[in-house]
Amino acid sequence: EVHLVESGGGLVQAGGSLRLSCAASGFKVDDYAIGWFRQAPGKEREGVSCIQSAIITTFYGDSAKGRFTISSDNVKNTVYLQMNSLKPEDTAVYYCARDTHCSGYRWDHWGQGTQVTVSS
């Protein structure tokens, strides 16, 4: 059975860093694209970053460029999102999801989310 479990969220001051983890089971992360998304209260879900290890490809949304780094550990079957220089507007619930490629529209499995709160 496919599962995605996010962790690593928390409360951090502006300018601080967090590393989110997305632990996968039931499939190999290097066989799929793994995306990070976020949703703040009252706002639409936003794509943050995506990695497709098999073709050594990463994508970043405009809000993440230059501050966030996505990576994958195929031994641990886990995808990470290193977030630096955090801003209050980064406050949201962060989710990871699976698709066949980063430009896909299926995103057929999602984690439960992890809350990130950035104080000013």
Side-chain angles (χ1 to χ4, degrees), residues 1 18 22 35 39 43 48 56 75 79 93 96 99 103 108 111:
E1 189 174 357
L18 284 173
C22 173
Q39 189 163 21
K43 295 188 177 180
V48 177
I56 315 174
V75 174
V79 171
V93 178
C96 62
D99 203 326
S103 58
D108 59 352

Side-chain angles (χ1 to χ4, degrees), residues 1-2 5 8-9 15 18 20 23-24 33-34 39 44 55 69 74 79 82 87 97 103-105 107 113-114 117 120:
E1 189 174 357
V2 173
V5 179
L18 284 173
L20 305 184
I34 303 297
Q39 189 163 21
E44 292 188 354
I55 57 173
T69 303
N74 295 336
V79 171
Q82 177 67 45
K87 304 174 183 180
S103 58
Y105 293 93
W107 301 106
T114 185
T117 303
S120 58

